[in-house]
Amino acid sequence: MPAPVFAKEGKIAENFTPTAPVVPVNVPTNGAIFLSDNYSPLTSGARASRVGDLLTIILVERMSASKSNSATTGRTGSVGLTPPTTGPLNLFSPSDVNISGDQSFNGKGEASQSNALSGEVSVTVAAIYPNGTMLVKGEKFVTLNRGDEKVQFSGIVRLADISVDNRVPSTRVADARIRYTGKGEIARGSSQGWLQRFFSRISPF
């Protein structure tokens, strides 16, 4: 069984190359019709079930999240003291000993995020596990006149989720890793320059 695709948690390996099918070993036959090496159940049809087989992943990723909170507080207080207007304690006027205070706070925060990815990418079966699940991986390169686009995909698929035409929606893939990157004029035009990124990191504002 090949080594895990991901060596460390959070770090994606760069090896998304197609997996070649395993070359069958020539086993001497004893004259029987049934050969276990080439056996394929009739119920599985032409579904991908061996290392090196191809299947198509339908990218139907759509995620959104939102969060909002608000808080309002207020407090008002006052103290008043009226000194005598006659006698030896008549040292202050009534306006000199009046104290009052007012405090208020109003805060509000909102956050929202939405992501969508659609398309198709064909992958190959890289490994088959004892419980019948399969590790699939693959990549697609598209070269345009103004840049390059690259899609890389890997994950674990159940045989029961594969349709008769070898298609699986990405929402049915476990431990899915999807990378969509690009380079060229369009990618450079939508990113900050290196000097602007430097000042953005050190700016306290």
Side-chain angles (χ1 to χ4, degrees):
M1 185 176 298
V5 176
F6 309 110
K8 294 182 180 180
E9 183 67 25
K11 183 177 181 180
I12 301 179
E14 296 297 334
N15 183 17
F16 288 88
T17 56
T19 303
V22 178
V23 179
V25 180
N26 293 327
V27 179
T29 61
N30 55 3
I33 298 176
F34 175 77
L35 296 177
S36 60
D37 293 338
N38 298 324
Y39 172 72
S40 178
L42 294 176
T43 55
S44 63
R47 292 185 179 93
S49 59
R50 299 178 182 177
V51 173
D53 287 352
L54 275 71
L55 56 89
T56 301
I57 303 296
I58 306 173
L59 301 175
V60 288
E61 298 296 321
R62 184 178 299 274
M63 300 183 67
S64 62
S66 62
K67 180 180 180 180
S68 63
N69 58 59
S70 62
T72 303
T73 61
R75 182 172 62 182
T76 303
S78 62
V79 177
L81 179 64
T82 303
T85 58
T86 59
L89 298 178
N90 183 15
L91 302 177
F92 305 97
S93 64
S95 61
D96 293 338
V97 291
N98 286 331
I99 301 175
S100 63
D102 189 5
Q103 180 179 349
S104 63
F105 170 79
N106 187 7
K108 184 178 181 180
E110 294 183 357
S112 62
Q113 183 176 353
S114 178
N115 299 291
L117 179 63
S118 61
E120 295 182 358
V121 56
S122 294
V123 298
T124 56
V125 178
I128 299 177
Y129 299 115
N131 62 350
T133 58
M134 300 179 296
L135 173 65
V136 299
K137 61 180 181 179
E139 58 187 353
K140 176 188 289 187
F141 291 90
V142 180
T143 300
L144 306 175
N145 57 350
R146 295 298 181 182
D148 300 331
E149 302 292 331
K150 179 172 64 175
V151 181
Q152 295 178 324
F153 184 92
S154 67
I156 299 176
V157 176
R158 294 191 313 166
L159 182 61
D161 294 329
I162 303 176
S163 64
V164 293
D165 55 350
N166 280 324
R167 299 162 73 89
V168 182
S170 60
T171 54
R172 305 293 294 178
V173 180
D175 196 27
R177 298 288 190 272
I178 306 173
R179 297 182 64 186
Y180 184 88
T181 58
K183 62 180 181 179
E185 296 181 6
I186 304 301
R188 289 194 301 269
S190 60
S191 61
Q192 293 181 342
W194 65 269
L195 186 60
Q196 188 173 5
R197 292 197 305 268
F198 171 76
F199 284 109
S200 298
R201 290 174 179 267
I202 65 175
S203 176
F205 305 103

